[in-house]
C-alpha cells in the first residue's frame, strides 16, 4: 500500500513532467505553469490514487486521470478568482492581477482543455466511464459556482440550499476523484458509487468545518485571521444557521451588525459571536459536521474489499483533512 | 447525397433538441441557450456532415460530434467577446452586456464542457480519435487567440505571423470539422488528413477574403460598413501587406493616418485606400486568396473516393463561402 507521502510524490512528479515549460505562445502557457506551480496539498489527485490503491497495487492507470482532476480544480480556482475579483491566491497575486483578465480567462480555458487531454490518456476501456464522471462533475461544479453567485444577491438562503450549493461547488469534485480512482482500479460499480458518496459526505463535512474554523479556531493554529467570513458577510453554515434559528429581532440585530460600516472589525466579530453563542450555532455546526462525518464513514464501510485493512491509508487521510486525529 | 439545406436542417433539429430549456440554475443555462439560439449559418457542423457524407450515406454518427464543434465554436465567441469587450454579436447584446461578465465566463465554461459531453456521445471505436482531434484543435484555437491579443501590442507583425495566427484562431477549427466528419464516415487516415488540409486552406482563403471585403466589397452587398477594419486599426492581411511593401516614408504616412484622432472616418478610409492602391495591396491579397483557394482544391482532389461525384455538394458549399460562384 502506498503511503500518503508516496501518493503525493507520484502526483508531484507527474505534474512536474507535464509542466508546459517553453511552449508558445508564452502568454498562454506561462500562467498555466504559474497556477500549477503554486502547490497546495494536491488533496484531489491523492484521493484518486488512494482510491485506486484500495483495489490494485499498480497505480499507473490512475496517475493521468488524477492529474487531470488537479488541473481542472486549478482551472476552476483561476476563473473563480476572476469572477470574485480576488487579488491573492495561496499568498501570491492571482493571474488577472499579475497579468490581466483576458489572460486569466484564456489560460483558464487552456487548462480546462489540458485537463481533458490528460484524462484522455487513460486506457480506452475505462475512458467512457471516466469521461462521463468527469464531464458530469465539471458541469455540476459550474452549477455550484452559479448558485454561489446567485446567493450573494439574496438574504433568504436556507441551510438546505447552502448545502446543495456546497455539494455542487466543492463536494462533487472530491467524490469524482475517489470514483475516478476506483474506476482506474477496476472496482465494481457498487464500490465506485460508495466511494463517490464517501467523497460527497467528506466534502460537506470539510466545508462546514471550514466555516466553523473561521470563527472558532484557535488563533495560533488557524493560519488565517479569525472571523474573516463575518467581516466579509459571507453566507456560511454558521451565519445561515443563525438566521434560521433567530427570532425576527435577533435576525434584525444580526443584519445591522453585518452591514455596519464603521464598527471596528474585532468588535463586529465579538458581537456576532455573542449572537452565535446565544443561538447555539457552534454546537449545531459541530453536530452537522459529526453527522456528515459519520455518513462518510458509513459509506466507506460499504466498500467491500477482500482485505479491509487496505482502507487504512484513506481513512487516516480523511481523518487528517477533518482534523479528527492528533 | 444530402444537400446543403438537408445538412443544415439535421444540424438545426439536433441543436433544438439539445436546447437546455428549463434546466437549473437558470443563471448558468439561459445564456447558453441565448448564445446557441442566435443562429448563424452553422458552417462548421455542416462541413462535418458533408465530409461524413463523402464516405457514407448515414450521417447519424456525425451529428453529435458536429453539434459539439458548433457549441465549442460559440463558446469561443462568448469568451472572445469578453476579452475584446465587444457590445454586440449577431445584432444582439453580447452575454456580458445582457447579463454580466461573470455569467459570460461561467456560462462559457459550461458550454465548453457541454461540447465535450456531446462529443463523447460518439461511438466508442472512434471516440479516442475524435477527442484527439478536438482537444488538439481547441488548444490551438486558444493559442491563436493569444497571438491575436499579443499582436495588438506590436507594430511589427509580419504577414507570415499573421497567417500563422489566423491558421490557429480560425482555420484549424474548420479543418477539424471536416476531419471529424471524415472520421465519423470511417474514412482512412489519408483521406481524413486531406480533408483537414482542405479545411486549413479554406480557412486561410476565407479570412483573407474577409479582410479584403472589408475594404473593397460593393457597399450594398457587404452588409457591413466599408472600412471598419481601417477605422479600428485592425491588423489585417491588407494592412500588414501595406506595411511590408511600403518604404519608410509611406509606412510613416500610413501610421499617422491610422492613428489620426480627428479625421472624419470616410476621409481616413479614402486616404488609406489610396496608399493600398499605390502598393497594389488589393492584387496581392487577391493573389493570396487565389493561391490558398487553389491549395484547397488541390487537397480536395487528394481525397480518393470510389465515386468522385460525391464531392460536388462540398465543393459547391466551399465555393459559396468563398463567393466564387454566381
Amino acid at each position: 500500500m502506498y503511503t500518503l507521502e508516496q501518493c503525493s510524490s507520484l502526483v508531484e512528479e507527474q505534474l512536474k513532467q507535464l509542466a508546459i515549460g517553453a511552449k508558445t505562445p508564452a502568454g498562454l502557457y506561462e500562467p498555466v505553469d504559474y497556477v500549477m506551480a503554486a502547490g497546495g496539498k494536491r488533496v484531489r489527485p491523492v484521493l484518486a490514487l488512494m482510491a485506486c490503491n484500495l483495489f490494485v497495487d499498480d497505480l499507473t492507470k490512475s496517475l493521468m486521470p488524477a492529474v487531470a482532476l488537479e488541473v481542472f480544480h486549478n482551472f476552476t480556482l483561476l476563473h473563480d478568482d476572476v469572477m470574485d475579483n480576488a487579488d491573492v491566491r495561496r499568498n501570491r497575486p492571482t493571474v488577472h492581477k499579475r497579468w490581466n483578465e483576458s489572460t486569466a480567462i484564456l489560460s483558464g480555458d487552456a487548462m480546462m482543455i489540458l485537463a481533458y487531454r490528460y484524462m484522455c490518456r487513460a486506457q480506452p476501456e475505462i475512458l467512457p466511464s471516466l469521461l462521463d464522471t468527469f464531464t458530469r462533475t465539471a458541469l455540476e461544479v459550474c452549477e455550484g459556482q452559479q448558485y454561489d453567485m446567485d446567493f450573494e444577491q439574496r438574504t433568504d438562503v436556507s441551510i438546505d440550499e447552502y448545502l446543495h450549493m456546497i455539494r455542487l461547488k466543492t463536494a462533487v469534485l472530491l467524490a469524482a476523484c475517489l470514483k475516478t480512482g476506483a474506476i482506474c482500479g477496476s472496482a465494481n460499480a457498487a464500490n465506485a458509487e460508495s466511494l463517490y458518496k464517501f467523497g460527497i459526505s467528506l466534502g460537506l463535512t470539510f466545508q462546514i468545518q471550514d466555516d466553523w474554523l473561521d470563527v472558532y479556531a484557535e488563533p495560533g493554529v488557524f493560519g488565517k485571521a479569525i472571523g474573516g467570513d463575518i467581516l466579509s458577510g459571507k453566507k456560511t453554515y454558521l451565519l445561515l444557521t443563525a438566521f434560521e434559528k433567530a427570532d425576527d429581532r435577533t435576525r434584525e440585530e444580526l443584519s445591522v451588525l453585518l452591514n455596519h460600516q464603521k464598527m471596528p472589525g474585532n468588535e463586529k466579530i465579538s458581537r456576532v459571536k455573542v449572537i452565535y453563542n446565544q443561538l447555539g450555532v457552534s454546537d449545531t455546526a459541530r453536530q452537522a459536521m459529526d453527522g456528515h462525518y459519520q455518513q462518510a464513514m458509513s459509506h466507506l464501510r460499504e466498500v467491500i474489499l477482500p482485505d479491509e485493512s487496505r482502507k487504512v491509508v484513506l481513512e487516516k487521510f480523511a481523518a487528517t483533512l477533518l482534523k479528527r486525529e492528533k
Side-chain angles (χ1 to χ4, degrees), chain A:
Chain A
M1 292 299 293
Y2 286 82
T3 62
L4 165 60
E5 291 70 26
Q6 286 168 330
C7 289
S8 298
S9 290
L10 282 169
V11 169
E12 287 301 340
E13 189 48 49
Q14 185 68 261
L15 284 171
K16 213 181 302 181
Q17 278 188 44
L18 293 171
I20 309 285
K23 202 159 178 356
T24 49
L28 181 69
Y29 291 113
E30 262 177 26
V32 174
D33 282 341
Y34 176 80
V35 167
M36 294 310 296
K41 296 185 302 297
R42 314 295 190 189
V43 169
R44 289 157 193 77
V46 163
L47 284 173
L49 262 61
M50 287 183 174
C52 185
N53 204 9
L54 293 177
F55 304 98
V56 294
D57 293 326
D58 180 359
L59 301 189
T60 321
K61 283 188 188 177
S62 68
L63 211 36
M64 289 305 292
V67 154
L69 291 158
E70 179 68 5
V71 172
F72 171 76
H73 171 61
N74 281 275
F75 143 75
T76 67
L77 298 181
L78 181 44
H79 275 192
D80 280 4
D81 285 343
V82 177
M83 292 185 272
D84 298 341
N85 212 7
D87 291 347
V88 180
R89 160 81 60 185
R90 290 191 193 125
N91 298 319
R92 302 185 316 170
T94 45
V95 171
H96 62 275
K97 277 293 175 193
R98 182 171 156 152
W99 283 270
N100 58 66
E101 197 179 279
S102 294
T103 292
I105 295 173
L106 194 63
S107 293
D109 292 346
M111 283 178 72
M112 168 78 148
I113 299 162
L114 286 168
Y116 269 101
R117 167 177 280 187
Y118 300 150
M119 189 61 81
C120 288
R121 290 200 198 172
Q123 313 272 317
E125 320 86 60
I126 54 175
L127 188 57
S129 178
L130 290 180
L131 286 173
D132 185 65
T133 302
F134 183 45
T135 294
R136 180 189 315 264
T137 299
L139 215 44
E140 286 176 335
V141 171
C142 289
E143 293 177 0
Q145 171 68 359
Q146 182 65 47
Y147 281 122
D148 198 10
M149 298 194 305
D150 288 347
F151 289 175
E152 274 169 36
Q153 314 303 324
R154 290 175 48 196
T155 52
D156 61 343
V157 179
S158 70
I159 285 288
D160 280 351
E161 285 181 289
Y162 175 74
L163 289 173
H164 181 59
M165 181 274 287
I166 289 302
R167 184 187 191 283
L168 295 171
K169 185 170 169 168
T170 65
V172 296
L173 184 53
L174 294 168
C177 290
L178 288 152
K179 181 172 176 176
T180 294
I183 293 170
C184 293
S186 304
N188 63 41
N191 278 341
E193 279 318 303
S194 296
L195 279 162
Y196 184 87
K197 291 174 187 167
F198 165 63
I200 294 288
S201 297
L202 203 75
L204 294 174
T205 316
F206 193 71
Q207 186 60 50
I208 300 170
Q209 177 184 260
D210 217 52
D211 291 350
W212 186 91
L213 286 170
D214 181 84
V215 178
Y216 292 104
E218 291 192 37
V221 178
F222 192 38
K224 272 194 270 180
I226 295 297
D229 290 344
I230 292 175
L231 294 183
S232 64
K234 191 182 176 207
K235 294 184 178 75
T236 68
Y237 191 90
L238 301 193
L239 184 60
L240 295 175
T241 299
F243 273 115
E244 268 195 7
K245 300 183 94 180
D247 56 24
D248 291 346
R249 208 194 70 131
T250 311
R251 203 174 286 138
E252 181 64 29
E253 197 186 333
L254 195 44
S255 289
V256 167
L257 260 181
L258 289 167
N259 293 320
H260 210 293
Q261 304 290 0
K262 295 195 153 90
M263 192 181 294
N266 42 9
E267 186 185 340
K268 187 182 280 195
I269 293 167
S270 303
R271 290 190 187 225
V272 167
K273 274 177 92 162
V274 163
I275 297 177
Y276 280 4
N277 295 340
Q278 276 165 4
L279 297 168
V281 157
S282 173
D283 284 343
T284 304
R286 294 186 77 138
Q287 277 162 40
M289 270 188 262
D290 280 341
H292 288 293
Y293 181 72
Q294 294 312 324
Q295 284 241 352
M297 291 303 111
S298 166
H299 288 305
L300 190 52
R301 279 193 297 276
E302 284 163 11
V303 178
I304 314 289
L305 299 178
D307 178 5
E308 279 290 307
S309 75
R310 287 185 83 102
K311 292 182 188 176
V312 162
V313 181
L314 186 52
E315 268 164 355
K316 274 184 59 181
F317 187 49
T320 315
L321 289 174
L322 302 177
K323 303 194 185 330
R324 282 169 183 268
E325 46 100 69
K326 177 82 195 70

